[in-house]
Amino acid sequence: MATDPKNVVRAFVDALNEQDWERVKDLITPDFGYTIQAYDLPGAGEPMDGETMLTVLPRMLALFDANGPRLRITHLVGEGTWVVAEAVGSGSFRDGSRYDNRYANVYEVVGDRVRTVREYMDTQHTARSFEAVTSE
């Protein structure tokens, strides 16, 4: 019996929240693509392959304290191999400043792995937040 794509997305988000990079690697397909759907953030608009994502995300998340950030799914809808998740991402940077953002992510699941992630968020908030903690 095939794995429910929504459960695959939940497992993927859990692995990201735990920063369990080996588990994340196991949950993505060889042809994985992750795209930040934006125009005004570095690297946005072009799909990252799995290897690139697994290099970039740990560096980015290292700006946060040991508890964060965490993505909490608030709504999850699936049809066929596609899943849409509304979520809230929050945490504290190492300097104590907060990061709180809203997301709508679109996932394509093949079998028991994620092939595609398209991430939509408040890009202005993200840019301001990260600029504040990296410009010191």
Side-chain angles (χ1 to χ4, degrees):
M1 177 180 232
T3 305
D4 181 343
K6 291 185 281 189
N7 289 336
V8 174
V9 169
R10 286 183 189 103
F12 180 76
V13 170
D14 287 346
L16 288 173
N17 282 338
E18 297 303 319
Q19 297 185 33
D20 183 345
W21 306 118
E22 285 303 313
R23 180 76 177 129
V24 171
K25 186 176 179 180
D26 289 343
L27 286 166
I28 61 176
T29 63
D31 60 343
F32 174 82
Y34 168 73
T35 308
I36 298 172
Q37 299 293 83
Y39 297 102
D40 56 352
L41 291 177
E46 293 295 321
M48 277 187 266
D49 62 24
E51 184 177 332
T52 302
M53 181 194 72
L54 288 166
T55 301
V56 171
L57 276 181
R59 283 192 229 151
M60 184 189 79
L61 297 179
L63 297 169
F64 288 86
D65 68 16
N67 298 317
R70 301 202 49 95
L71 193 65
R72 181 176 55 85
I73 295 172
T74 57
H75 296 94
L76 200 59
V77 178
E79 183 171 328
T81 61
W82 291 92
V83 177
V84 176
E86 280 189 327
V88 175
S90 59
S92 293
F93 288 102
R94 288 182 299 175
D95 71 357
S97 61
R98 289 288 303 163
Y99 177 79
D100 295 290
N101 209 340
R102 292 177 293 248
Y103 294 83
N105 293 335
V106 179
Y107 301 87
E108 178 188 20
V109 177
V110 176
D112 58 356
R113 295 167 135 194
V114 176
R115 176 188 282 165
T116 304
V117 178
R118 294 186 192 127
E119 183 172 276
Y120 300 84
M121 69 182 126
D122 181 340
T123 57
Q124 288 182 333
H125 173 70
T126 299
R128 282 192 307 267
S129 297
F130 279 85
E131 182 178 348
V133 298
T134 58
S135 65
E136 298 172 3

